[in-house]
């Protein structure tokens, strides 16, 4: 655990007692602060009280009289669609609002860093899609190359549950827009922007607010080096804002749609080959096509970003290439779970929006597509061009019929349940096809989260194959 610095002897409120909130409260206490905690759920309050924390109803008048700051969990809205009443009250009282990411960056460095041969560094990864895979891939490369590393944020540990850094260590953080939007301190050594597509628009007041939340990591974080995906206008804009000119190699541009060969530092992938260019010439190349843990152009985009980070940290191309080949992949993200009679089964339950699902559909030639769930804003029209490889769709979810009606030109069957969808897909699949779960929708109509949905898919596939 990383003790929080800067609040010794002060009272700090904590709102929201999920994983990050409880960890923040413990880290505040370890750092000499007095945390007072609150959660809208009685279950959360009871668990915190059992851990010895003082409960304080932050909805009451005068609750902030002696409070130096309030730390809020990322899932609690602070501006759109409306501020949580406790956060609004903190504003009125003039109490600074922060989150655990802000506490981490405020507290990570210690006096012991001066005794290290190599100072610890922080890599922060944000974007719409690919954050988890990119973060896990960076961590994997570092571990395979013998560099000490920890993985945290939206993946792995909560940031305050990290161990204090050792000599030469690299901390890799996956950060969502919910986390970057509010953190009062953002100071990564290397920051990564994977891509941008519409998501969480209600939480950020529209696409501009969503991009602005991501941009804070770079504009306010001031990283020593930025790795920017430039396949969308927002990425091009961000790279342009950060670079002092075309030769400024503090910005590494990445792409999977174009060849980047200007005078700067570029990493791109085309037709399954990753290339690194510096100062107008190619310096490295990797064949990504046969790497089982990184199928499809979306994973090649992740590989480009991870490769760029590893190169910025001083690792050699051959060592990085070897590490890419041993990457096992992440659960629920293009996860190959089975193969039988020439049919491959892939779990991409994390494809919760149209853009992520489109990338998953582009990764395989012949697909039996399991899709559906709680549809997000914007509809499915943008997904259809990527669905040319779909032989048939099997639609799940409470609103499966409405979802299926939008799949114009695609043979679709309303299944409603995962079990029915998997059973039909297996019955109808032919050798050379892939049964792919890529929902293009949130899970909350039937499941607590995308992990539960993916686990159900895996269980249904295993049961159906065992019965054949």
């Amino acid at each position: 655990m990383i003790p929080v610095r800067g609040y010794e002897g002060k009272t700090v409120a904590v709102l929201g007692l999920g994983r990050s909130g409880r960890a923040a409260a413990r880290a505040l206490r370890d750092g000499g602060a007095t945390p007072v905690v609150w959660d809208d759920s009685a279950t959360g309050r009871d668990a915190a009280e059992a851990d010895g924390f003082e409960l304080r109803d932050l909805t009451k008048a005068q609750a902030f009289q002696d409070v130096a700051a309030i730390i809020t969990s990322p899932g609690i809205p602070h501006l759109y669609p409306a501020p949580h009443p406790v956060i609004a009250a903190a504003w009125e009282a003039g109490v600074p609002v922060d989150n655990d990411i802000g506490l981490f960056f405020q507290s990570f460095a210690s006096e012991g860093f001066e005794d290290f041969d190599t100072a610890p560094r922080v890599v922060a990864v944000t974007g719409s899609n690919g954050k988890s895979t990119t973060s896990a891939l960076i961590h994997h490369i570092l571990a395979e190359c013998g560099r000490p590393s920890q993985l945290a944020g939206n993946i792995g540990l909560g940031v305050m549950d990290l161990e204090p850094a050792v000599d030469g260590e690299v901390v890799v953080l996956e950060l969502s827009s919910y986390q970057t939007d509010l953190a009062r301190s953002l100071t990564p050594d290397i920051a990564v922007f994977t891509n941008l597509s519409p998501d969480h628009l209600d939480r950020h007041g529209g696409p501009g607010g969503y991009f602005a939340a991501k941009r804070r990591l770079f504009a306010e974080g001031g990283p020593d080096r930025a790795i920017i995906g430039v396949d969308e206008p927002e990425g091009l804009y961000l790279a342009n804002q950060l670079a002092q000119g075309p030769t400024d190699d503090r910005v590494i541009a990445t792409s999977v749609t174009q060849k980047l060969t200007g005078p700067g530092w570029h990493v791109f992938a085309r037709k399954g080959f990753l290339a690194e260019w510096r100062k107008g010439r190619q310096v490295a190349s990797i064949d990504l096509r046969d790497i089982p843990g990184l199928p499809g152009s979306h994973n090649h985009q992740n590989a480009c970003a991870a490769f760029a980070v590893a190169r910025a940290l001083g690792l050699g191309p051959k060592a990085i290439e070897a590490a890419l080949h041993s990457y096992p992949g992440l659960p629920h993200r293009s996860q190959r779970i089975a193969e039988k009679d020439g049919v491959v089964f892939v779990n991409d339950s994390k494809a919760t929006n149209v853009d992520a699902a489109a990338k998953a559909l582009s990764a395989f030639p012949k697909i039996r597509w399991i899709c559906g769930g709680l549809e997000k804003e914007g509809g499915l029209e943008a997904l259809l061009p990527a669905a040319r490889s779909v032989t048939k769709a099997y639609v799940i979810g409470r609103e499966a019929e409405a979802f299926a009606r939008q799949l114009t030109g695609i043979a679709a069957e309303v299944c409603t349940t995962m079990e029915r969808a998997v059973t039909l897909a297996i019955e109808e699949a032919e050798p050379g096809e892939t049964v792919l779960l890529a929902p293009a929708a949130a899970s909350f109509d039937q499941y607590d989260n995308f992990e539960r949905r993916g686990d159900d898919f895996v269980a249904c596939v295993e049961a159906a194959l065992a019965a054949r």
Side-chain angles (χ1 to χ4, degrees):
M1 173 159 288
I2 297 175
V4 173
R5 303 176 188 279
Y7 291 108
E8 295 85 352
K10 298 179 181 179
T11 299
V12 179
V14 177
L15 175 64
L17 298 172
R19 182 186 68 163
S20 66
R22 294 195 304 272
R26 290 193 297 269
L28 284 161
R29 185 168 58 188
D30 284 359
T34 300
V36 293
V37 304
W38 186 253
D39 194 289
D40 292 335
S41 162
T43 302
R45 298 195 297 269
D46 291 345
E49 195 168 30
D51 285 341
F53 291 109
E54 177 188 344
L55 294 179
R56 180 182 296 187
D57 188 345
L58 299 174
T59 67
K60 301 294 186 183
Q62 311 304 315
F64 290 99
Q65 272 192 330
D66 61 341
V67 170
I70 179 171
I71 309 303
T72 182
S73 294
I76 296 173
H78 59 272
L79 190 55
Y80 302 111
H84 188 282
V86 170
I87 293 177
W91 292 345
E92 291 288 339
V95 173
V97 180
D98 204 349
N99 61 16
D100 62 328
I101 304 303
L103 292 182
F104 167 81
F105 281 110
Q106 176 181 325
S107 308
F108 175 64
S110 69
E111 295 175 358
F113 281 21
E114 297 175 357
D115 299 325
F116 292 155
D117 292 330
T118 303
R121 306 184 76 182
V122 177
V123 176
V125 181
T126 195
S128 294
N129 299 308
K131 297 187 299 296
S132 295
T133 296
T134 299
S135 301
L137 186 54
I138 295 167
H139 177 62
H140 174 79
I141 292 169
L142 291 166
E144 290 293 291
C145 293
R147 290 285 295 272
S149 175
Q150 296 186 74
L151 181 63
N154 254 13
I155 185 173
L157 296 170
V159 291
M160 303 313 297
D161 281 330
L162 287 163
E163 293 298 320
V166 300
D167 195 339
E169 188 164 55
V170 180
V171 172
V172 184
L173 303 181
E174 179 199 343
L175 300 182
S176 72
S177 58
Y178 289 11
Q179 294 168 310
T180 58
D181 196 19
L182 191 62
R184 296 173 72 91
S185 179
L186 285 169
T187 54
D189 297 286
I190 299 174
V192 180
F193 178 85
T194 58
N195 51 59
L196 196 80
S197 61
D199 208 356
H200 308 304
L201 300 187
D202 57 337
R203 174 65 182 264
H204 296 292
Y210 177 52
F211 175 55
K214 304 286 189 185
R215 183 177 176 272
R216 288 190 77 244
L217 183 63
F218 303 85
E220 300 188 30
D224 296 332
R225 181 155 276 131
I227 286 86
I228 309 292
V230 296
D231 288 336
E232 294 88 29
E234 293 86 356
L236 280 169
Y237 167 81
L238 185 57
N240 182 268
Q241 289 246 303
L242 295 172
Q244 294 299 313
T247 61
D248 187 353
D249 67 1
R250 292 175 302 172
V251 175
I252 306 176
T254 67
S255 175
V256 289
T257 65
Q258 56 189 308
K259 186 177 181 179
L260 305 173
T261 58
W265 194 350
H266 311 293
V267 179
F268 61 90
R270 296 185 71 199
K271 298 180 180 180
F273 287 87
L274 180 152
E276 178 189 7
W277 282 64
R278 295 191 72 175
K279 299 179 180 179
R281 66 183 184 89
Q282 183 173 313
V283 296
S285 177
I286 297 175
D287 185 350
L288 301 172
R289 294 173 299 175
D290 296 326
I291 298 179
L294 297 168
S297 64
H298 60 305
N299 276 308
H300 295 173
Q301 184 179 58
N302 301 332
C304 286
F307 178 93
V309 169
R311 293 289 283 139
L313 290 169
L315 300 180
K318 292 298 183 183
I320 299 170
E321 180 176 7
L324 292 178
H325 277 277
S326 64
Y327 176 64
L330 281 177
H332 314 298
R333 298 162 177 86
S334 298
Q335 177 192 13
R336 182 169 172 155
I337 60 169
E339 181 177 356
K340 187 170 184 179
D341 300 329
V343 178
V344 174
F345 297 84
V346 176
N347 167 23
D348 204 340
S349 184
K350 186 61 170 66
T352 59
N353 59 44
V354 164
D355 186 64
K359 290 174 179 175
L361 291 173
S362 299
F364 306 98
K366 297 179 182 179
I367 297 172
R368 300 280 171 172
W369 179 28
I370 298 177
C371 56
L374 187 62
E375 187 181 337
K376 294 188 175 181
E377 185 179 342
L380 303 176
E381 185 176 354
L383 178 64
L384 299 181
R388 289 187 291 267
S389 57
V390 173
T391 303
K392 184 176 178 180
Y394 305 82
V395 187
I396 63 174
R398 295 178 185 173
E399 303 296 329
E401 290 188 13
F403 195 99
R405 283 196 294 270
Q406 297 184 62
L407 301 179
T408 308
I410 301 172
E413 185 158 345
V414 173
C415 299
T416 307
T417 67
M418 184 70 75
E419 182 180 11
R420 175 66 175 162
V422 168
T423 299
L424 278 178
I426 289 176
E427 288 177 356
E428 297 175 358
E430 299 178 358
E433 294 184 334
T434 298
V435 176
L436 170 68
L437 171 65
S443 59
F444 305 124
D445 60 331
Q446 291 182 309
Y447 303 93
D448 290 341
N449 49 52
F450 73 84
E451 292 96 340
R452 291 283 181 86
R453 177 172 58 191
D455 290 342
D456 192 22
F457 172 70
V458 173
C460 289
V461 168
E462 289 176 347
L465 293 182
R468 289 176 69 85

